Amino acid sequence: MIRFALSSFDIKHLRTFLAVVEHGGVSSAAYRLNASISSISRDLSALEDRLGLQLCRRGRSGFALTPPGEEVHRAATQLLANIHSFELTVQSTRQSLAGTFTLGVIDNVVTNPNAGVIPALAEMHRLFPGMLISVSVHTVSVIDVLVRDNKVDFAITSQPEGFEQLKYHPAFVEEHRLYISKLSPYYDQAVRTLGGQRSVDGDVAIPYISRDFRTDEFSEFERKYPLQIAARGSTLESVLASVLAGVGCALLPSHFVKQVGGETLVEIETPDTPVQIQFHFVYRRDNADRRAVKALLDRFS
Protein backbone atom coordinates (compact mmCIF):
# COMPACT_ATOMS: atom_id res chain seq x y z
CA MET A 1 0.00 0.00 0.00
CA ILE A 2 1.31 3.41 -0.98
CA ARG A 3 1.26 5.76 2.00
CA PHE A 4 -0.46 9.10 1.41
CA ALA A 5 1.43 12.06 2.92
CA LEU A 6 -0.25 15.45 3.15
CA SER A 7 1.52 18.55 1.90
CA SER A 8 0.79 22.22 2.49
CA PHE A 9 -0.75 22.35 -0.99
CA ASP A 10 -3.08 19.49 -0.03
CA ILE A 11 -4.26 21.46 3.01
CA LYS A 12 -4.87 24.52 0.83
CA HIS A 13 -6.83 22.49 -1.68
CA LEU A 14 -8.85 20.77 1.06
CA ARG A 15 -9.82 24.17 2.45
CA THR A 16 -11.02 25.14 -1.03
CA PHE A 17 -12.95 21.87 -1.31
CA LEU A 18 -14.72 22.48 2.02
CA ALA A 19 -15.60 26.00 0.93
CA VAL A 20 -17.10 24.72 -2.31
CA VAL A 21 -19.20 22.17 -0.41
CA GLU A 22 -20.24 24.72 2.20
CA HIS A 23 -21.39 27.26 -0.38
CA GLY A 24 -22.93 24.73 -2.76
CA GLY A 25 -20.77 25.19 -5.81
CA VAL A 26 -17.68 26.70 -7.38
CA SER A 27 -19.24 30.04 -8.32
CA SER A 28 -20.67 30.69 -4.86
CA ALA A 29 -17.39 29.67 -3.19
CA ALA A 30 -15.41 31.97 -5.49
CA TYR A 31 -17.71 34.87 -4.61
CA ARG A 32 -17.48 34.20 -0.87
CA LEU A 33 -13.69 33.77 -0.94
CA ASN A 34 -13.19 36.78 -3.23
CA ALA A 35 -11.37 34.52 -5.68
CA SER A 36 -11.76 33.74 -9.36
CA ILE A 37 -13.84 30.81 -10.52
CA SER A 38 -10.87 29.48 -12.47
CA SER A 39 -8.60 29.40 -9.38
CA ILE A 40 -11.23 27.54 -7.34
CA SER A 41 -11.72 25.06 -10.19
CA ARG A 42 -7.94 24.52 -10.47
CA ASP A 43 -7.65 23.80 -6.73
CA LEU A 44 -10.54 21.35 -6.89
CA SER A 45 -9.15 19.56 -9.94
CA ALA A 46 -5.67 19.42 -8.39
CA LEU A 47 -7.13 17.80 -5.27
CA GLU A 48 -9.03 15.21 -7.31
CA ASP A 49 -5.90 14.39 -9.33
CA ARG A 50 -3.84 14.14 -6.12
CA LEU A 51 -6.33 11.79 -4.46
CA GLY A 52 -7.21 9.89 -7.63
CA LEU A 53 -10.89 10.35 -6.85
CA GLN A 54 -13.81 12.24 -8.33
CA LEU A 55 -15.09 14.27 -5.40
CA CYS A 56 -18.03 16.05 -6.95
CA ARG A 57 -20.15 16.52 -10.03
CA ARG A 58 -20.39 20.06 -11.26
CA GLY A 59 -21.93 21.54 -14.36
CA ARG A 60 -25.31 22.59 -15.68
CA SER A 61 -27.08 20.01 -13.56
CA GLY A 62 -25.70 21.61 -10.42
CA PHE A 63 -23.19 20.71 -7.76
CA ALA A 64 -23.27 17.36 -5.91
CA LEU A 65 -20.80 15.25 -3.96
CA THR A 66 -19.95 11.77 -5.13
CA PRO A 67 -19.89 8.95 -2.54
CA PRO A 68 -16.06 9.19 -2.34
CA GLY A 69 -16.47 12.97 -2.07
CA GLU A 70 -18.74 12.55 0.93
CA GLU A 71 -16.11 10.37 2.64
CA VAL A 72 -13.33 12.84 1.87
CA HIS A 73 -15.52 15.73 3.04
CA ARG A 74 -16.09 14.10 6.44
CA ALA A 75 -12.39 13.32 6.84
CA ALA A 76 -11.32 16.79 5.69
CA THR A 77 -13.75 18.48 8.09
CA GLN A 78 -12.26 16.54 11.01
CA LEU A 79 -8.71 17.11 9.82
CA LEU A 80 -9.07 20.89 9.51
CA ALA A 81 -10.87 21.08 12.86
CA ASN A 82 -7.90 19.30 14.43
CA ILE A 83 -5.50 21.68 12.68
CA HIS A 84 -7.47 24.65 14.01
CA SER A 85 -7.37 23.20 17.51
CA PHE A 86 -3.62 22.70 17.18
CA GLU A 87 -3.17 26.31 16.03
CA LEU A 88 -5.14 27.61 19.02
CA THR A 89 -3.08 25.47 21.39
CA VAL A 90 0.18 26.74 19.93
CA GLN A 91 -1.04 30.32 20.10
CA SER A 92 -2.07 29.91 23.73
CA THR A 93 1.25 28.25 24.55
CA ARG A 94 3.24 31.02 22.87
CA GLN A 95 1.26 33.63 24.79
CA SER A 96 1.96 31.74 28.01
CA LEU A 97 5.64 31.32 27.34
CA ALA A 98 6.37 34.83 26.15
CA GLY A 99 5.07 38.32 26.67
CA THR A 100 4.29 39.73 30.09
CA PHE A 101 2.70 38.09 33.11
CA THR A 102 1.62 40.40 35.93
CA LEU A 103 1.36 39.24 39.52
CA GLY A 104 -0.53 41.67 41.75
CA VAL A 105 -0.10 41.60 45.54
CA ILE A 106 -1.00 43.75 48.50
CA ASP A 107 1.75 45.30 50.56
CA ASN A 108 4.25 43.05 52.34
CA VAL A 109 2.90 39.79 50.88
CA VAL A 110 6.17 39.24 49.03
CA THR A 111 8.17 39.27 52.27
CA ASN A 112 5.84 36.86 54.07
CA PRO A 113 7.65 33.48 54.17
CA ASN A 114 4.29 31.68 54.38
CA ALA A 115 3.22 33.20 51.06
CA GLY A 116 5.99 31.51 49.06
CA VAL A 117 6.08 34.29 46.46
CA ILE A 118 9.86 34.36 45.99
CA PRO A 119 10.28 30.59 45.38
CA ALA A 120 7.25 30.63 43.06
CA LEU A 121 8.68 33.49 40.99
CA ALA A 122 12.06 31.76 40.79
CA GLU A 123 10.42 28.57 39.51
CA MET A 124 8.30 30.53 37.02
CA HIS A 125 11.44 32.16 35.64
CA ARG A 126 13.05 28.75 35.27
CA LEU A 127 10.01 27.35 33.45
CA PHE A 128 9.36 30.40 31.25
CA PRO A 129 12.70 32.19 30.73
CA GLY A 130 11.30 34.24 27.84
CA MET A 131 8.46 35.67 29.88
CA LEU A 132 8.64 39.11 31.49
CA ILE A 133 7.19 38.58 34.96
CA SER A 134 6.03 41.84 36.53
CA VAL A 135 5.12 42.18 40.21
CA SER A 136 2.92 45.10 41.19
CA VAL A 137 1.68 46.19 44.64
CA HIS A 138 -1.88 47.45 45.11
CA THR A 139 -4.35 48.28 47.85
CA VAL A 140 -6.91 45.67 48.87
CA SER A 141 -9.74 47.85 47.56
CA VAL A 142 -8.64 47.73 43.92
CA ILE A 143 -6.73 44.49 43.36
CA ASP A 144 -9.79 42.36 42.45
CA VAL A 145 -10.96 45.06 40.04
CA LEU A 146 -7.59 45.04 38.28
CA VAL A 147 -7.79 41.27 37.79
CA ARG A 148 -11.37 41.51 36.57
CA ASP A 149 -10.40 44.20 34.06
CA ASN A 150 -7.43 42.16 32.73
CA LYS A 151 -4.88 44.64 34.05
CA VAL A 152 -3.40 42.01 36.40
CA ASP A 153 -3.15 38.32 35.42
CA PHE A 154 -2.93 36.78 38.87
CA ALA A 155 -3.29 38.30 42.34
CA ILE A 156 -3.03 37.58 46.04
CA THR A 157 -5.49 39.33 48.33
CA SER A 158 -6.77 39.16 51.88
CA GLN A 159 -10.24 40.50 51.10
CA PRO A 160 -11.92 38.76 48.12
CA GLU A 161 -14.66 40.79 46.47
CA GLY A 162 -16.34 37.69 45.03
CA PHE A 163 -16.66 38.96 41.45
CA GLU A 164 -18.43 36.46 39.18
CA GLN A 165 -15.73 36.68 36.51
CA LEU A 166 -12.99 35.62 38.95
CA LYS A 167 -11.91 32.39 40.59
CA TYR A 168 -10.64 32.36 44.17
CA HIS A 169 -8.48 29.73 45.86
CA PRO A 170 -7.32 29.72 49.51
CA ALA A 171 -3.62 30.60 49.57
CA PHE A 172 -2.07 30.95 53.03
CA VAL A 173 -2.89 32.27 56.49
CA GLU A 174 -1.21 35.39 57.84
CA GLU A 175 -0.86 35.87 61.59
CA HIS A 176 -1.52 39.31 63.08
CA ARG A 177 -0.77 40.35 66.65
CA LEU A 178 -1.37 43.53 68.63
CA TYR A 179 1.74 45.71 68.97
CA ILE A 180 2.65 48.98 70.63
CA SER A 181 5.88 50.91 70.98
CA LYS A 182 7.43 50.61 74.42
CA LEU A 183 8.22 54.32 74.11
CA SER A 184 4.54 55.20 73.65
CA PRO A 185 2.96 57.26 76.45
CA TYR A 186 0.05 54.80 76.31
CA TYR A 187 2.19 51.71 76.78
CA ASP A 188 1.43 50.90 80.45
CA GLN A 189 -2.23 51.74 80.09
CA ALA A 190 -2.60 49.64 76.95
CA VAL A 191 -0.91 46.58 78.44
CA ARG A 192 -2.97 46.86 81.63
CA THR A 193 -6.29 47.40 79.84
CA LEU A 194 -5.95 45.09 76.85
CA GLY A 195 -3.60 42.38 78.03
CA GLY A 196 -4.95 39.16 79.39
CA GLN A 197 -8.62 40.06 79.71
CA ARG A 198 -11.64 41.15 77.71
CA SER A 199 -12.90 44.71 77.95
CA VAL A 200 -15.27 45.66 80.78
CA ASP A 201 -17.46 48.68 81.35
CA GLY A 202 -15.50 51.66 82.54
CA ASP A 203 -12.25 50.79 80.71
CA VAL A 204 -10.34 53.73 79.35
CA ALA A 205 -10.21 53.76 75.54
CA ILE A 206 -6.78 52.96 74.15
CA PRO A 207 -5.50 54.85 71.06
CA TYR A 208 -5.52 52.51 68.07
CA ILE A 209 -4.27 52.79 64.49
CA SER A 210 -6.84 51.36 62.07
CA ARG A 211 -6.54 50.14 58.48
CA ASP A 212 -8.47 51.97 55.77
CA PHE A 213 -9.77 48.61 54.56
CA ARG A 214 -10.35 46.13 57.34
CA THR A 215 -11.22 42.46 57.11
CA ASP A 216 -14.13 41.01 59.05
CA GLU A 217 -11.63 39.47 61.47
CA PHE A 218 -10.16 42.89 62.24
CA SER A 219 -13.59 44.43 62.76
CA GLU A 220 -14.60 41.63 65.13
CA PHE A 221 -11.43 42.09 67.19
CA GLU A 222 -11.87 45.86 67.38
CA ARG A 223 -15.43 45.51 68.70
CA LYS A 224 -14.27 43.43 71.66
CA TYR A 225 -11.83 45.94 73.10
CA PRO A 226 -11.96 49.58 74.25
CA LEU A 227 -10.13 51.04 71.27
CA GLN A 228 -10.30 54.62 70.10
CA ILE A 229 -9.11 55.30 66.55
CA ALA A 230 -6.24 57.77 66.77
CA ALA A 231 -4.94 57.37 63.20
CA ARG A 232 -5.56 55.44 59.98
CA GLY A 233 -3.23 53.91 57.43
CA SER A 234 -3.71 52.58 53.91
CA THR A 235 -0.52 50.47 54.00
CA LEU A 236 1.33 48.50 56.63
CA GLU A 237 4.19 50.99 56.45
CA SER A 238 1.88 53.88 57.29
CA VAL A 239 0.34 51.96 60.20
CA LEU A 240 3.80 51.00 61.43
CA ALA A 241 4.94 54.63 61.29
CA SER A 242 2.13 55.69 63.62
CA VAL A 243 2.85 52.83 66.03
CA LEU A 244 6.58 53.61 66.13
CA ALA A 245 5.73 57.28 66.70
CA GLY A 246 3.83 56.29 69.84
CA VAL A 247 0.40 57.28 68.53
CA GLY A 248 -1.20 54.02 69.64
CA CYS A 249 -1.35 50.26 69.17
CA ALA A 250 -2.19 48.29 66.01
CA LEU A 251 -2.65 44.81 64.58
CA LEU A 252 0.39 43.98 62.45
CA PRO A 253 1.65 40.79 60.75
CA SER A 254 4.12 38.95 62.96
CA HIS A 255 6.58 38.40 60.10
CA PHE A 256 6.50 42.11 59.26
CA VAL A 257 7.27 43.16 62.83
CA LYS A 258 10.19 40.72 63.02
CA GLN A 259 11.68 42.35 59.94
CA VAL A 260 11.18 46.03 60.78
CA GLY A 261 10.06 46.36 64.39
CA GLY A 262 13.39 45.75 66.02
CA GLU A 263 13.41 46.12 69.81
CA THR A 264 10.97 49.03 69.83
CA LEU A 265 7.69 47.18 69.33
CA VAL A 266 6.17 45.06 72.07
CA GLU A 267 3.32 42.60 71.67
CA ILE A 268 0.23 43.06 73.83
CA GLU A 269 -1.01 39.52 74.36
CA THR A 270 -4.79 39.20 74.37
CA PRO A 271 -7.21 36.25 74.46
CA ASP A 272 -8.17 37.04 70.85
CA THR A 273 -4.73 37.22 69.27
CA PRO A 274 -3.20 36.18 67.04
CA VAL A 275 -5.82 37.16 64.48
CA GLN A 276 -5.65 34.76 61.52
CA ILE A 277 -6.25 36.29 58.07
CA GLN A 278 -6.93 33.95 55.15
CA PHE A 279 -5.35 35.09 51.88
CA HIS A 280 -6.60 34.01 48.45
CA PHE A 281 -5.27 33.58 44.92
CA VAL A 282 -7.35 35.41 42.32
CA TYR A 283 -7.50 35.09 38.52
CA ARG A 284 -10.06 35.36 35.74
CA ARG A 285 -12.12 32.27 34.98
CA ASP A 286 -11.34 32.57 31.27
CA ASN A 287 -7.61 32.46 32.11
CA ALA A 288 -7.88 29.25 34.11
CA ASP A 289 -6.35 27.16 31.28
CA ARG A 290 -3.48 29.54 30.64
CA ARG A 291 -0.22 27.66 31.19
CA ALA A 292 1.33 30.42 33.27
CA VAL A 293 -1.68 30.51 35.61
CA LYS A 294 -1.63 26.73 36.02
CA ALA A 295 2.11 26.73 36.61
CA LEU A 296 1.87 29.48 39.22
CA LEU A 297 -0.88 27.64 41.08
CA ASP A 298 1.26 24.49 41.02
CA ARG A 299 4.24 26.40 42.43
CA PHE A 300 2.18 27.86 45.27
CA SER A 301 0.45 24.59 46.18
Side-chain angles (χ1 to χ4, degrees):
M1 177 181 290
I2 299 175
R3 183 179 177 182
F4 185 85
L6 280 172
S7 69
S8 59
F9 287 107
D10 294 328
I11 299 298
K12 175 180 178 295
H13 295 156
L14 284 171
R15 292 186 190 278
T16 300
F17 172 56
L18 291 186
V20 170
V21 176
E22 178 183 358
H23 298 296
V26 173
S27 298
S28 296
Y31 175 77
R32 295 287 184 176
L33 298 177
N34 193 27
S36 66
I37 294 177
S38 59
S39 67
I40 298 295
S41 296
R42 280 198 302 272
D43 284 353
L44 202 54
S45 297
L47 180 63
E48 289 181 322
D49 291 342
R50 176 86 165 96
L51 300 179
L53 298 169
Q54 183 183 3
L55 301 178
C56 55
R57 298 183 181 91
R58 48 197 186 274
R60 293 182 180 180
S61 59
F63 175 85
L65 286 175
T66 63
E70 292 177 353
E71 291 290 334
V72 172
H73 179 259
R74 281 192 290 270
T77 300
Q78 183 62 53
L79 170 66
L80 294 182
N82 290 339
I83 290 175
H84 180 65
S85 176
F86 172 78
E87 290 170 343
L88 290 178
T89 299
V90 171
Q91 180 181 358
S92 175
T93 300
R94 291 180 64 184
Q95 289 174 347
S96 297
L97 299 179
T100 300
F101 187 86
T102 303
L103 170 65
V105 298
I106 61 176
D107 62 325
N108 280 284
V109 164
V110 172
T111 59
N112 186 339
N114 293 329
V117 173
I118 302 301
L121 290 178
E123 182 65 8
M124 287 286 287
H125 178 66
R126 186 187 69 81
L127 290 172
F128 311 122
M131 179 186 293
L132 174 62
I133 300 175
S134 174
V135 181
S136 54
V137 181
H138 309 277
T139 60
V140 175
S141 61
V142 303
I143 196 163
D144 290 51
V145 176
L146 294 173
V147 178
R148 183 195 64 189
D149 295 345
N150 269 323
K151 296 179 180 178
V152 168
D153 297 307
F154 192 96
I156 304 174
T157 183
S158 62
Q159 194 169 324
E161 295 289 344
F163 292 140
E164 183 179 354
Q165 302 95 324
L166 306 184
K167 292 196 73 171
Y168 298 87
H169 290 286
F172 61 93
V173 174
E174 186 173 75
E175 182 181 272
H176 291 246
R177 298 178 183 270
L178 189 64
Y179 294 94
I180 192 170
S181 170
K182 63 183 179 182
L183 304 178
S184 171
Y186 311 107
Y187 174 79
D188 291 333
Q189 186 182 56
V191 172
R192 184 172 58 252
T193 303
L194 304 176
Q197 61 182 1
R198 299 285 180 93
S199 63
V200 295
D201 292 341
D203 280 339
V204 176
I206 303 301
Y208 175 77
I209 295 90
S210 177
R211 308 273 183 91
D212 283 348
F213 295 93
R214 305 191 304 280
T215 65
D216 292 339
E217 292 84 356
F218 280 11
S219 298
E220 182 180 354
F221 176 85
E222 292 163 8
R223 284 194 297 267
K224 292 180 179 180
Y225 293 88
L227 302 171
Q228 178 181 352
I229 296 178
R232 294 186 183 276
S234 60
T235 65
L236 286 177
E237 286 83 357
S238 60
V239 173
L240 175 66
S242 294
V243 177
L244 290 174
V247 175
C249 60
L251 287 169
L252 291 168
S254 303
H255 77 91
F256 178 61
V257 172
K258 289 178 182 178
Q259 293 166 0
V260 300
E263 300 297 324
T264 305
L265 296 186
V266 177
E267 179 188 353
I268 302 175
E269 296 184 8
T270 80
D272 297 287
T273 52
V275 176
Q276 308 284 349
I277 304 299
Q278 177 68 60
F279 277 68
H280 290 79
F281 299 130
V282 189
Y283 55 93
R284 284 185 59 93
R285 292 182 181 276
D286 53 12
N287 279 337
D289 291 332
R290 188 174 174 184
R291 283 193 64 193
V293 170
K294 288 184 174 181
L296 198 55
L297 285 172
D298 289 341
R299 302 289 81 73
F300 277 122
S301 61

